[in-house]
Amino acid sequence: MKTIKNKQLASILILLLGILFTACNNNDDVVYSDVVGVYEGTLTTDVAGKSINSKSNSTATAIVTMVGDEIEVHCFNDDFDTTIMLNLYEDGDMLNTCLTGADFENMYGHMMGQSNMNGNMQNMSSEWMQHLNNEHQNSDEHFGGFNMLNNSFDYTFKMETGDFHFRGIK
């Protein structure tokens, strides 16, 4: 009788340990890989002319792939085709994005880590808030991210010919 109870107790203990390890495995790669896929949506263009601005909406696709610990976003339609590399930063139900490498320096005029802000934030802040605090100056802006609740992606591509805003659903 004791052997059966011990076996049952051992089985329950093993089951609980398995659940505990599974629940505690909060691997960022799993969260980040959730953004990988094809997003179908619209591309709104705001192309500046000499004296007028014209806006138009058209169907577009964004293909998001992982490249190391960054993502590559290839956004295109019949009249638009661009690819950018972005870093991801968790912020609650959002995964916000930021440019990488030379694109970061060209956009913001400084290298990552050269901010005028107050240094490291407390450990309780989100990755996003830490990124803003450690890598950016107050005037720096960002251009989009992923809403993990509805599997959507919004991003504004800043081009020489104007802004192109993609909004799509996976």
Side-chain angles (χ1 to χ4, degrees), residues 132-150:
L132 292 176
N133 194 45
N134 295 332
E135 308 294 342
H136 285 282
Q137 297 175 1
N138 289 331
S139 60
D140 292 351
E141 62 180 308
H142 287 83
F143 307 105
F146 297 86
N147 182 327
M148 303 310 289
L149 293 177
N150 64 10

Side-chain angles (χ1 to χ4, degrees), residues 38-78:
V38 177
Y39 294 79
E40 299 291 340
T42 58
L43 189 66
T44 304
T45 59
D46 184 6
V47 180
K50 290 184 179 177
S51 61
I52 60 166
N53 284 341
S54 74
K55 287 191 176 198
S56 64
N57 286 335
S58 59
T59 303
T61 301
I63 300 173
V64 178
T65 55
M66 292 294 297
V67 178
D69 58 354
E70 300 173 350
I71 61 168
E72 178 182 84
V73 177
H74 178 205
C75 186
F76 60 93
N77 67 11
D78 291 340

Side-chain angles (χ1 to χ4, degrees), residues 56-126:
S56 64
N57 286 335
S58 59
T59 303
T61 301
I63 300 173
V64 178
T65 55
M66 292 294 297
V67 178
D69 58 354
E70 300 173 350
I71 61 168
E72 178 182 84
V73 177
H74 178 205
C75 186
F76 60 93
N77 67 11
D78 291 340
D79 302 316
F80 181 81
D81 192 341
T82 194
T83 302
I84 59 172
M85 298 298 294
L86 298 169
N87 285 320
L88 292 171
Y89 300 93
E90 194 170 0
D91 187 22
D93 295 327
M94 297 291 295
L95 282 179
N96 293 317
T97 60
C98 187
L99 295 167
T100 63
D103 290 337
F104 181 97
E105 291 177 37
N106 290 336
M107 177 60 66
Y108 301 117
H110 61 87
M111 296 187 322
M112 290 185 89
Q114 294 183 339
S115 81
N116 289 333
M117 298 177 104
N118 300 323
N120 288 329
M121 293 183 74
Q122 296 176 352
N123 290 337
M124 298 301 290
S125 63
S126 69

